[in-house]
């Protein structure tokens, strides 16, 4: 069975005004696997085709009943639809043959010819039309490709075809490109060196040649390109096809990414905090200079290693971390993500120190990565401990002092009072004593103590303001 591209029987419209001839031809075509529809006039044929009926071929008598001849009908049909037309004729005069050629029909069959010749002509017309469809399709693909495409002879190097993208980018017309060669676009090669480049293709040692170079436009400007050349057969001859990719945007993007990467690395390398990145398996993939200084491990020593095995002290914590990281791998979530935690870390030399870690999650290449910013807080912790010790010592001394000691804020509210003060004042408790405001308590106001205290507070404020002004001026 003869089928078209949709898998159905190929359908032929038979235009023949002789009922007997139409019956004979229709029976012959049916027996040979074609679906046939018959009309008697050119007007009917045009009406059917204009109505959108699906056809694969029109087999049409030139001399038809009605006002429209087969030639006229064929012109109308071909103008509106891409359908192959084969003529039936008993007249093979020069005038008729010329008209058939003008219409661009797919041939003609003499009436009364043998069946094999008719079937052969029909089959050939269908195959030729199919080949023409494919040729036009590939021609459109070639011409409309976004990349530059060139076809040229491997010996003469003359261009056979150059597509629209190439012509537009280069600034040459089709006529100008027809007398040019790849050497006119590239100063890197001469005839000898370019043929040496093509030699592996011509000898079939390689299927393609890939290289980067620079093309020159008609106006003299240059642009970087990647060229892939392949050899193919066309009607018994060898031709080269070059696929040319303009690298201008790619190189600009690479330069921009490189610049951003350089900036980010400069920031990370100069950061005083350790910046560490772990991949989906918990292995170190980034380790900045501050991390080297904090932990004592060089970048080469730690990349690809399990960080927590190196720096975490508590084995129990390590086991908890391992379980938590398995959950993080799947979801990017974890108890430590988005939080700042304090812990003890281990230096390469074995000493312990206090760190503060801020963790965040980063999705990259379909996997979750953990990014940690680590700060050495040993000095801060030491200062806090010293301050706490001083406070404890102060409280112990104040509590055991043989004199009354109390402390107030700038508004005169009591914030601390020792036991001796309670005894002197005869106060029942600290809470009751703190209810007294030293600036407004009547007894203290009467004896002028409140005024003296207020003067001291004001002097302290003035000294504080003077100190701020002094520091501001020094900074300027």
């Amino acid at each position: 069975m003869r089928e078209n591209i949709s898998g159905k029987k190929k359908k032929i419209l038979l235009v023949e005004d002789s009922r007997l001839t139409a019956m004979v031809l229709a029976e012959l075509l049916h027996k040979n696997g074609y679906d046939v529809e018959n009309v008697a006039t050119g007007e009917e044929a045009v009406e059917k085709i204009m109505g959108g009926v699906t056809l694969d071929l029109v087999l049409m008598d030139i001399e038809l009943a009605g006002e429209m001849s087969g030639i006229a009908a064929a012109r109308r049909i071909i103008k509106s639809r891409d359908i192959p037309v084969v003529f039936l004729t008993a007249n093979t005069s020069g005038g008729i043959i010329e008209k058939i050629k003008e219409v661009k029909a797919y041939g003609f069959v003499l009436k009364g010819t043998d069946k094999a010749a008719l079937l052969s002509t029909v089959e050939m017309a269908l195959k030729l039309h199919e080949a023409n469809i494919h040729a036009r399709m590939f021609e459109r693909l070639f011409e409309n490709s976004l990349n530059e495409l060139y076809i040229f002879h491997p010996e003469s190097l003359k261009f056979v075809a150059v597509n629209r993208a190439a012509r537009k980018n280069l600034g040459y017309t089709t006529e100008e490109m027809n007398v040019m060669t790849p050497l006119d676009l590239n100063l890197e090669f001469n005839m000898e060196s370019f043929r040496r480049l093509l030699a592996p293709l011509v000898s079939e040692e390689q299927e393609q040649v890939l290289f980067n170079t620079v093309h020159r436009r008609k106006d003299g400007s240059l642009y970087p390109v990647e060229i892939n050349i392949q050899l193919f057969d066309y009607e018994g001859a060898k031709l080269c096809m070059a696929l040319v990719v303009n690298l201008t945007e790619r190189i600009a993007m690479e330069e921009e990414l490189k610049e951003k990467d350089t900036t980010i690395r400069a920031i990370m390398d100069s950061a005083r905090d350790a910046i560490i990145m772990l991949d989906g398996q918990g292995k170190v993939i980034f380790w900045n200079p501050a991390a080297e200084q904090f932990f004592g491990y060089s970048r080469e020593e730690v990349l690809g290693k399990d960080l927590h095995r190196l720096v975490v002290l508590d084995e129990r914590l390590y086991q908890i971390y391992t379980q938590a990281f398995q959950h993080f791998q799947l979801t990017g979530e974890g108890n430590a993500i988005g939080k700042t935690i304090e812990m003890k870390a281990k230096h390469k030399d074995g000493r312990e120190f206090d760190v503060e870690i801020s963790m965040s999650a980063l999705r990259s290449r379909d996997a979750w990565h953990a990014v940690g910013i680590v700060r050495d807080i040993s000095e801060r912790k030491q200062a806090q401990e010293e301050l706490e010790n001083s406070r404890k010592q102060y409280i112990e001394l104040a509590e055991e002092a043989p004199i009354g000691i109390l402390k107030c804020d700038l508004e005169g509210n009591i914030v601390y009072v020792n036991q001796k003060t309670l005894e002197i004042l005869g106060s029942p408790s600290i809470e009751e004593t703190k209810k007294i405001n030293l600036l407004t308590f009547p007894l203290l106001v009467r004896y002028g103590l409140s005024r003296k205290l207020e003067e001291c507070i004001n002097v302290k404020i003035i000294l504080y303001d003077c100190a701020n002004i002094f520091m501001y001026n020094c900074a300027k």
Side-chain angles (χ1 to χ4, degrees), residues 17-85:
D17 55 1
S18 168
R19 293 182 63 186
L20 178 60
T21 303
M23 288 175 59
V24 171
L25 292 176
E27 184 181 359
L28 173 65
L29 293 170
H30 274 301
K31 285 183 178 179
N32 284 274
Y34 295 105
D35 191 3
V36 181
E37 187 170 349
N38 178 235
V39 294
T41 66
E43 288 86 351
E44 289 178 285
V46 170
E47 184 180 349
K48 273 195 174 292
I49 289 168
M50 293 299 186
V53 65
T54 301
L55 295 171
D56 294 288
L57 182 137
V58 177
L59 184 59
M60 179 148 47
D61 191 357
I62 290 180
E63 297 176 354
L64 293 168
E67 296 182 3
M68 187 178 292
S69 69
I71 296 292
R75 285 199 182 98
R76 293 278 301 276
I77 291 168
I78 292 171
K79 187 176 180 179
S80 63
R81 296 272 297 278
D82 182 19
I83 300 175
V85 176

Side-chain angles (χ1 to χ4, degrees), residues 166-185:
R167 299 193 304 270
K168 183 178 178 181
N169 195 12
L170 292 168
Y172 291 106
T173 65
T174 301
E175 291 71 23
E176 289 173 319
M177 296 297 299
N178 286 340
V179 295
M180 295 171 64
T181 74
L183 303 181
D184 295 308
L185 310 179

Side-chain angles (χ1 to χ4, degrees), residues 146-278:
L146 297 178
N147 291 316
E148 299 178 24
L149 295 174
Y150 303 79
I151 297 176
F152 60 93
H153 289 286
E155 291 298 325
S156 68
L157 304 186
K158 286 288 184 68
F159 287 126
V160 175
V162 178
N163 76 339
R164 183 187 293 113
R167 299 193 304 270
K168 183 178 178 181
N169 195 12
L170 292 168
Y172 291 106
T173 65
T174 301
E175 291 71 23
E176 289 173 319
M177 296 297 299
N178 286 340
V179 295
M180 295 171 64
T181 74
L183 303 181
D184 295 308
L185 310 179
N186 194 309
L187 301 178
E188 181 181 349
F189 297 99
N190 55 30
M191 182 69 78
E192 183 180 354
S193 61
F194 198 76
R195 281 181 174 166
R196 282 201 304 269
L197 179 75
L198 298 179
L201 287 179
V202 176
S203 63
E204 298 183 355
E205 294 176 15
Q206 294 177 204
E207 293 184 355
Q208 61 181 2
V209 173
L210 183 66
F211 62 98
N212 286 9
T213 185
V214 175
H215 269 185
R216 181 178 61 181
R217 298 183 179 92
K218 185 177 181 179
D219 62 10
S221 60
L222 305 175
Y223 62 101
V225 293
E226 178 186 81
I227 301 179
N228 185 332
I229 303 178
Q230 299 182 24
L231 199 68
F232 69 98
D233 289 315
Y234 180 73
E235 294 185 349
K238 297 285 186 181
L239 293 175
C240 289
M241 184 172 75
L243 169 64
V244 178
V245 180
N246 189 338
L247 300 178
T248 303
E249 290 186 8
R250 185 192 302 178
I251 291 175
M253 289 176 61
E254 288 174 354
E255 289 295 328
E256 184 179 353
L257 289 173
K258 185 178 179 181
E259 183 178 346
K260 288 181 179 178
D261 183 64
T262 301
T263 302
I264 291 171
R265 285 194 171 274
I267 293 171
M268 289 186 168
D269 288 349
S270 62
R272 297 182 64 183
D273 293 335
I275 302 175
I276 302 165
M277 183 180 290
L278 309 179

